[in-house]
Amino acid sequence: MNPIENSLNAATRLRRIKITSRIARHVFLAFFVFAIGLDVFFLGSGRILKVLGKAAPYVIGSQLLLIVWYWELARLFRFYERGAIFASKTIHCIKVLGVLCVLNWILYGIACALSWPPKAYGPSFFEIKTISSAHIFHMGFFSFDFGTGIDFGTLAAGIAIVLIAWIMDEGRKIQEEQELTV
């Protein structure tokens, strides 16, 4: 391939990235608005706060982190839409997403610990379900435990996202150094 064909292929790929990113950004902004509306609807009545008891601040914190997660995803896709794929601000945004996963895992763990032993709340949308420790290994896409009843999937995903962002940042720095070398 000659340089002109390479340039045309790169431009086509970048245009596809920008279009896909624009769609994804709008989808995550819709999730952001929906999550805010859902939280206002369910938390506004106060009934859920009474049901959750001591765990309420941690569940609310987890819900707020979810809202920030959607906002950061929309922001990340905005960077992609602008063509800033390996920019430092894009990589920082990815790191923030990983840290939000870890923080959400911590808050959810605290909420589950505070709601132990489980109470008979009746059916509720935000009911925290605690699972007794079964001595079996459970594994799902982002869900796994080691017989503890504690799901480590979100923690592992958050750590993996932070590590991937770090590797991308180091690669970006290496590439910048090589471009300066003659």
Side-chain angles (χ1 to χ4, degrees):
M1 279 188 152
N2 63 33
I4 295 172
E5 288 178 17
N6 285 340
S7 176
L8 290 175
N9 287 338
T12 302
R13 286 187 194 113
L14 187 59
R15 188 170 19 95
R16 284 191 308 224
I17 289 171
K18 288 180 177 185
I19 291 168
T20 304
S21 297
R22 182 177 304 121
I23 293 167
R25 180 174 57 94
H26 289 297
V27 167
F28 287 115
L29 283 174
F31 284 171
F32 172 77
V33 170
F34 180 74
I36 289 173
L38 197 64
D39 286 346
V40 167
F41 177 76
F42 281 106
L43 297 175
S45 69
R47 179 178 175 272
I48 297 298
L49 299 176
K50 292 176 187 172
V51 169
L52 293 173
K54 296 183 288 187
Y58 301 101
V59 172
I60 292 170
S62 181
Q63 288 301 113
L64 291 175
L65 285 178
L66 179 65
I67 290 169
V68 174
W69 167 263
Y70 289 140
W71 179 257
E72 283 295 314
L73 276 172
R75 194 168 156 242
L76 174 67
F77 283 106
R78 186 181 71 222
F79 292 143
Y80 289 157
E81 184 181 354
R82 293 179 178 171
I85 296 171
F86 295 106
S88 61
K89 59 188 173 190
T90 305
I91 294 168
H92 176 74
C93 192
I94 295 170
K95 285 180 187 176
V96 168
L97 288 168
V99 169
L100 288 172
C101 278
V102 172
L103 289 174
N104 189 47
W105 181 81
I106 291 169
L107 286 177
Y108 185 75
I110 292 170
C112 285
L114 289 175
S115 68
W116 188 261
K119 300 172 186 132
Y121 298 132
S124 169
F125 186 79
F126 282 109
E127 180 178 334
I128 296 178
K129 296 180 181 177
T130 54
I131 302 168
S132 64
S133 178
H135 297 288
I136 57 172
F137 177 74
H138 168 74
M139 186 170 175
F141 186 70
F142 278 118
S143 172
F144 63 90
D145 65 27
F146 301 102
T148 62
I150 300 170
D151 182 15
F152 291 97
T154 307
L155 176 65
I159 292 170
I161 291 169
V162 170
L163 288 175
I164 290 168
W166 174 74
I167 290 169
M168 286 176 62
D169 196 32
E170 292 299 313
R172 180 189 58 80
K173 290 174 186 174
I174 290 169
Q175 184 177 4
E176 286 176 358
E177 289 173 1
Q178 287 180 348
E179 288 174 355
L180 295 175
T181 305
V182 177

